[in-house]
Amino acid sequence: MTVPRVERPGLYYPKLPATWWLRNANYFRFMLRELSSVFIALFLVVFLIQLHRLPQGPGAYAAYLETLRAPGWIIFHVLALAFALYHSVTWFNLTGVVQVVHLGERQVPPRLVVGASFALWAVVSVVLLWFLLRG
Amino acid sequence: MLTRKTSEPFWWLLFAAGGMVAALLVPVHLLVQGLAVPLGWTSISHARMLALAAQPLVKLYLFALIALPLYHWAHRFRFILEDLGLRGLRTPIALLSYGAAVLGTVATLWVLWRI
Amino acid sequence: MTEETMTLEVTRYRPGHDREPRTESFTVPYRKDWVVLDALNHIKDRIDGTLSYRWSCRMGVCGSCGMMVNGVPKLTCAAFLRDYRPGPIRVGPLANFPVIRDLVIALDDFMEKLRRVKPWIIRAVEKPVADGEYLQTPAQLDAYKQFSMCINCMLCYAACPVYGLEPAFVGPAAIALAYRYNLDSRDEGYRLREPVLSEAVGVWECTFVGECSVVCPKGVDPAAAIQRSKLAGATDWLLSMIMPWGGRR
Ligand code: SF4
Ligand code: FES
């Protein structure tokens, strides 16, 4: 726990309102970025339930897939996909800031690190798509 | 109980791993399972899904895919609430968020175990 | 010919008189080459001598003229009136800091934090002066140079919502400075700074909003310094788990 700061008389202490993230576009984008994790987690829970239905037989599984056809679920998944893509893009952009890569003595320019992350994402996505859609 | 000093790096590493997994893998899974299959663009038969998910390596993959991003969620969710000014409730928020992720991990293990 | 003018809405606060800051409007001549600081100087010289604010170098090196300009932390000696036409321009004290008077904020908290991260070269054993200087290659200099450009203007603290919510947070510039010395090949003080960075209100407090790096006039990128310190701290922690007899460094 942190100790509350001692306020000296005469000074004016500003308070940051809970709506601070509406003050500028960067703050707002930050909130969207953090919020993306909620949608990703919700999708994974839906996926987990799907896996849970799997050993219960083709009937239970098909019934579950049928629920996902409801317009509400489609809207949820469109929204979740948008947030997931936003997460990926922001995440890879920030890896260049966080991860310093050295080649010998020289530091690899962050832009290259970011580029490599996006390339990796593309390759992994294509392989995964191929694996899921095959046969 | 872990002190904040020793627990923060632990949760942060799980957060970072989960964020990476989510960034690399989740969009494709979302596209296929959330949209392509329900909208009938493609289909994955029950038999094939079952055969796939029964393989140990695939199970390991599914465990990482589902469990790790839960910690990514827990970490960010905790700080969203704190950043929205709920700083008086820091400890309960942290317990609730990370606790939910641990619960999700156990659930994932249980579901995969039974396949 | 009527002279072109611009309106400045300046935050005023008189300690002992006002419960809260209020806004006062001033009309100043518009000049293409004037910065907000010139306009404030005009107000102080010609309109109201009681207006209080800090400044010194007028060339973006002393870091004392930081204020909120239209809600964004800026060096007022580098914020041109022409970029805010037609106005009005809102000028306020740096956000998140206690206000002493008008546009003057209290620095003590920041100064204390700077001291706490020990921003100087620490050696396990100083070598005698007679043995000459500590040499450094250009690559070793490059490793930390960006983080050594800080002018302590505190714009990054004014941009940081985490600092606004948690005044105990060590904050962007101080962590960037600690990181700068940790990166310095001549320095051996990592272990001494680590406790400050890894404490509850150190690097783990940061949620990587990233606005500190956006507003920094010197391209320091404190957000990067904080995230990399987290990575270093987490790696240290992991190593200490795997090898309890001692991690790296
Ligand atoms: S890091 Fe940048 S914004 Fe922060 S005090 Fe230093 S120069 Fe100013
Ligand atoms: S007056 Fe020195 S930085 Fe602006």
Side-chain angles (χ1 to χ4, degrees):
Chain A
M1 269 300 112
T2 51
V3 219
R5 108 182 117 180
V6 194
E7 304 206 343
R8 285 190 281 142
L11 299 197
Y12 172 73
Y13 288 84
K15 301 265 172 297
L16 196 62
T19 51
W20 60 268
W21 49 281
L22 293 171
R23 280 188 181 173
N24 88 33
N26 288 338
Y27 289 162
F28 189 70
R29 278 194 287 269
F30 159 78
M31 262 309 169
L32 288 183
R33 187 190 84 195
E34 303 298 291
L35 200 62
S36 68
S37 67
V38 175
F39 284 85
I40 291 171
L42 284 176
F43 161 70
L44 291 171
V45 170
V46 171
F47 186 23
L48 191 62
I49 297 173
Q50 188 181 342
L51 289 174
H52 177 58
R53 292 274 180 267
L54 208 48
Q56 296 172 354
Y61 186 69
Y64 185 68
L65 287 193
E66 194 52 42
T67 349
L68 294 187
R69 276 185 220 274
W73 278 111
I74 298 290
I75 293 173
F76 164 75
H77 279 119
V78 169
L79 210 63
L81 181 61
F83 271 107
L85 289 172
Y86 190 61
H87 167 69
S88 300
V89 171
T90 50
W91 187 268
F92 294 128
N93 275 334
L94 294 179
T95 51
V97 175
V98 181
Q99 186 68 58
V100 189
V101 181
H102 284 279
L103 265 186
E105 277 240 298
R106 289 266 149 237
Q107 186 188 328
V108 179
R111 256 186 297 128
L112 273 184
V113 179
V114 173
S117 311
F118 275 101
L120 178 71
W121 181 33
V123 172
V124 168
S125 298
V126 168
V127 171
L128 199 58
L129 259 182
W130 172 79
F131 193 79
L132 286 172
L133 299 184
R134 167 182 74 133
Chain B
M1 189 54 202
L2 292 169
T3 64
R4 260 198 92 186
K5 186 180 152 131
T6 52
S7 62
E8 291 291 354
F10 172 74
W11 298 120
W12 187 81
L13 280 171
L14 283 175
F15 152 79
M20 193 46 120
V21 167
L24 278 177
L25 305 173
V26 164
V28 170
H29 280 287
L30 239 167
L31 182 66
V32 173
Q33 288 143 227
L35 292 172
V37 171
L39 290 174
W41 302 341
T42 178
S43 68
I44 306 173
S45 72
H46 175 261
R48 174 150 190 271
M49 265 305 255
L50 196 58
L52 266 179
Q55 293 175 31
L57 264 184
V58 176
K59 278 192 187 181
L60 196 68
Y61 169 84
L62 289 174
F63 177 68
L65 171 69
I66 297 173
L68 285 177
L70 292 182
Y71 294 90
H72 168 253
W73 163 79
H75 193 76
R76 283 193 159 168
F77 188 67
R78 164 190 167 204
F79 278 109
I80 290 178
L81 294 186
E82 287 188 9
D83 283 349
L84 287 178
L86 297 173
R87 302 188 79 79
L89 303 170
R90 298 193 71 151
T91 316
I93 287 174
L95 284 177
L96 223 73
S97 308
Y98 294 132
V102 172
L103 219 69
T105 309
V106 175
T108 310
L109 278 175
W110 179 72
V111 166
L112 291 175
W113 181 258
R114 287 170 24 120
I115 294 179
Chain C
M1 195 184 94
T2 53
E3 198 187 30
E4 262 194 278
T5 61
M6 247 180 131
T7 305
L8 257 64
E9 292 173 354
V10 183
T11 305
R12 305 293 307 263
Y13 174 73
R14 290 168 306 170
H17 276 273
D18 304 332
R19 296 202 122 265
E20 288 202 335
R22 57 203 165 79
T23 311
E24 194 170 342
S25 286
F26 298 96
T27 305
V28 299
Y30 168 77
R31 304 242 196 293
K32 201 159 90 272
D33 52 353
W34 266 19
V35 290
V36 172
L37 182 60
D38 292 317
L40 291 175
N41 284 338
H42 174 89
I43 295 170
K44 190 167 179 77
D45 293 345
R46 306 284 172 83
I47 308 175
D48 184 347
T50 66
L51 182 66
S52 307
Y53 51 97
R54 289 195 183 100
W55 62 281
S56 176
C57 71
R58 292 179 57 180
M59 48 191 275
V61 294
C62 74
S64 58
C65 68
M67 296 168 211
M68 302 301 280
V69 179
N70 282 353
V72 180
K74 291 273 179 198
L75 294 180
T76 46
C77 68
F80 283 91
L81 295 186
R82 59 171 184 258
D83 295 331
Y84 295 91
R85 289 246 282 165
I89 306 178
R90 284 177 289 122
V91 184
L94 276 184
N96 300 336
F97 289 97
V99 184
I100 296 177
R101 183 193 178 94
D102 293 345
L103 302 165
V104 179
I105 49 134
L107 303 164
D108 345 14
D109 178 55
F110 175 63
M111 291 304 164
E112 195 272 323
K113 280 168 181 164
L114 275 187
R115 259 195 305 276
R116 213 156 8 121
V117 298
K118 306 189 195 317
W120 53 81
I121 288 180
I122 299 171
R123 301 285 301 184
V125 187
E126 282 293 344
K127 78 177 178 186
V129 176
D131 289 359
E133 51 283 79
Y134 297 108
L135 295 178
Q136 203 162 44
T137 66
Q140 285 170 332
L141 171 66
D142 275 347
Y144 69 83
K145 188 159 181 227
Q146 175 185 19
F147 302 104
S148 70
M149 306 305 280
C150 175
I151 57 172
N152 300 341
C153 66
M154 299 174 288
L155 299 195
C156 48
Y157 285 74
C160 176
V162 175
Y163 180 63
L165 293 162
E166 177 57 80
F169 176 38
V170 177
I175 296 178
L177 206 55
Y179 185 65
R180 170 247 176 280
Y181 282 95
N182 285 341
L183 283 179
D184 195 314
S185 59
R186 299 163 295 182
D187 182 83
E188 293 166 347
Y190 180 83
R191 282 275 156 251
L192 293 172
R193 289 183 201 103
E194 197 261 348
V196 184
L197 298 189
S198 68
E199 72 185 345
V201 287
V203 294
W204 305 113
E205 194 69 25
C206 166
T207 48
F208 204 175
V209 177
E211 191 68 357
C212 51
S213 297
V214 174
V215 301
C216 175
K218 293 289 155 182
V220 171
D221 202 350
I226 301 175
Q227 312 319 311
R228 290 176 200 170
S229 300
K230 284 184 194 167
L231 191 60
T235 315
D236 269 6
W237 175 85
L238 204 59
L239 286 175
S240 73
M241 288 289 122
I242 303 168
M243 308 181 295
W245 56 91
R248 60 174 191 174
R249 275 188 257 225

